[in-house]
Structure formats: structure tokens, C-alpha cells
Amino acid sequence: MSTDGGAGAKPLIIAIDGPAAAGKGTLARRLAAHFGLPYLDTGLLYRAVARRVLDAGRDPADQEAAAAAARALTAGDLGRDDLRTAAVDRAASMVAGQALVRAALLAFQRRFAQREGAVLDGRDIGTVVLPEAPVKLFVTATLAARAARRWRERGADPADLAAITADLAARDADDAARAIAPLRPAADAVMLDSSALDADEVFAAALAIIARRGWGCGRGSR
Ligand code: DC
């Protein structure tokens, strides 16, 4: 299998970081299917912690409450269908800035990746969670391209584009400015700008990068 046979005997771990709505999730799912690897959307962890805090009637700024929620997280929490509301967006961003929450989620993410290789996407995968990952991609796109994408996905009213743009800009600033695990490319990450590419083109570009790192064409190949 290419997942453990490429580039020596190391399992293939693909770390994908970048800002919201850059196309990380779509790319990560396709790469996981292609290489036969498990996939973890790490943003869901922060969303699920936020959801637990809100459900308990606690304040997401309360670091003890958020840390307790992070320690109590179960696999079932990640499958909930109410993790992408505007309230959870805001609360997730707050809990993601807290050291205790990040520490509580770190071991789970590492174990997930190291069992048999994996694809993980997030903000700090290549820099903090899996600095040894053999493949690191930093997927970006202009703010305008990302806002237009999010707006199309949500089938929103044309008038909402400005609000979506402002919301993404605010989340970018929060993610990049926070003291702990800020959003930034790892020194050895390959940049992939998806502004002018469709999902197929992003996937093809990623496969080419991964092949250059020594992993072949997917399941069953070298
Ligand atoms: O990717 P997303 O929008 O689902 O992420 C939800 C929140 O979690 C967002 O505020 C960024 C944060 N996050 C993070 O700090 N580190 C990660 N590895 C993934 C997400």
C-alpha cells in the first residue's frame, strides 16, 4: 500500500492547514479516499467543545468550563448536526484560543494520525499537532474567493455576501493573531492557492505535490 510503503516505511500523514473556506475539507476528504486513509476535520473538535459548553449554559470564555468540555468529548459529539451554526462559529473561535482546550485535544489528534497514517485538516496541524508529518499543505485563497465560495455553498441571499466576507475576515484575524497555535504555514509546508482553481484542479495539484514527496498514485501503488 502506498499509505505505508512510500518514502520509506513511514505511514502517510497529510497535514492540511489554512484559513476557513479555502477548500481544505473538500481536498482532505478526496485525498483520504484516494490513499485509503482515515480523515479528521479538527475544526469539528473545537466546534464540539463549543457546543457542549453552550448546551451546559456556560460561557465559552470560561476556560475551566471549556477545558472540562474538551476532556469529556466523545466520538458521538463529532457526529452532531448542529455544529455549524453562527453561535457555534463564535464559541468555537473562543475556545480554540484557550491553552487548556488545545492541550486536552492534542493527544487525541496525534493518536488518530499515528495509528495507520491519516489526513487531518485544521489550523495548526503542520506546526503543532504533527510537526513530523511527511506531507504538509497550506491551502489558501483570497478573501473574495473564499467568501464567494461560502456564499454559494449556503445558497444565501446576495445581500449576505458582505456579511460573510466580514465574518471570514474576522475569523482570519482571530486565528492568525491568537497567542497559542496561531494560523501560519509550517516552514516545510507547500503553499497551494486555490483562488483560481476548481476542486479537481486543487486535488490534482495536491497529488503532484505528494508524489514529489515520494508517495505514488494511491491505494495499491508504491
Ligand atoms: O475549520 P472550522 O471553521 O470548522 O474551525 C472551527 C474553529 O476552530 C475555528 O475558530 C478555527 C479553530 N480551529 C483551530 O483553532 N485549530 C484547528 N486545528 C482547527 C480549527
Side-chain angles (χ1 to χ4, degrees), residues 67-205:
R71 291 185 201 111
L73 215 61
T74 66
D77 289 317
L78 304 182
R80 293 178 56 157
D81 61 5
D82 54 358
L83 300 181
R84 297 197 181 276
T85 65
V88 171
D89 281 357
R90 280 191 297 276
S93 180
M94 292 170 78
V95 302
Q98 298 170 17
L100 293 176
V101 168
R102 301 200 78 90
L105 299 177
L106 194 56
F108 171 79
Q109 295 174 80
R110 289 186 173 155
R111 273 200 311 275
F112 184 93
Q114 283 157 357
R115 276 198 306 263
E116 49 172 319
V119 182
L120 285 84
D121 73 18
R123 304 294 189 286
D124 64 336
I125 308 303
T127 50
V128 174
V129 178
L130 298 163
E132 308 300 326
V135 176
K136 298 180 188 177
L137 305 174
F138 194 85
V139 182
T140 58
T142 61
L143 178 61
R146 291 185 288 123
R149 224 173 259 161
R150 187 55 47 96
W151 174 72
R152 278 195 301 271
E153 272 166 22
R154 297 201 172 161
D157 190 286
D160 293 344
L161 183 59
I164 290 173
T165 306
D167 178 56
L168 281 177
R171 288 177 61 196
D172 287 355
D174 286 351
D175 287 345
R178 70 174 175 230
I180 312 153
L183 172 66
R184 63 179 172 79
D188 53 349
V190 180
M191 305 298 285
L192 212 174
D193 186 330
S194 70
S195 307
L197 305 179
D198 67 21
D200 288 346
E201 291 167 328
V202 172
F203 181 56

Side-chain angles (χ1 to χ4, degrees), residues 20-44:
K24 300 186 302 291
T26 304
L27 174 62
R29 267 187 294 277
R30 288 183 73 166
L31 289 174
H34 183 82
F35 287 103
L37 292 169
Y39 164 53
L40 180 63
D41 169 358
T42 63
L44 277 187

Side-chain angles (χ1 to χ4, degrees), residues 32-60:
H34 183 82
F35 287 103
L37 292 169
Y39 164 53
L40 180 63
D41 169 358
T42 63
L44 277 187
L45 300 172
Y46 297 92
R47 290 177 178 277
V49 170
R51 182 78 264 170
R52 267 186 174 261
V53 172
L54 295 175
D55 286 353
R58 306 292 295 269
D59 180 352

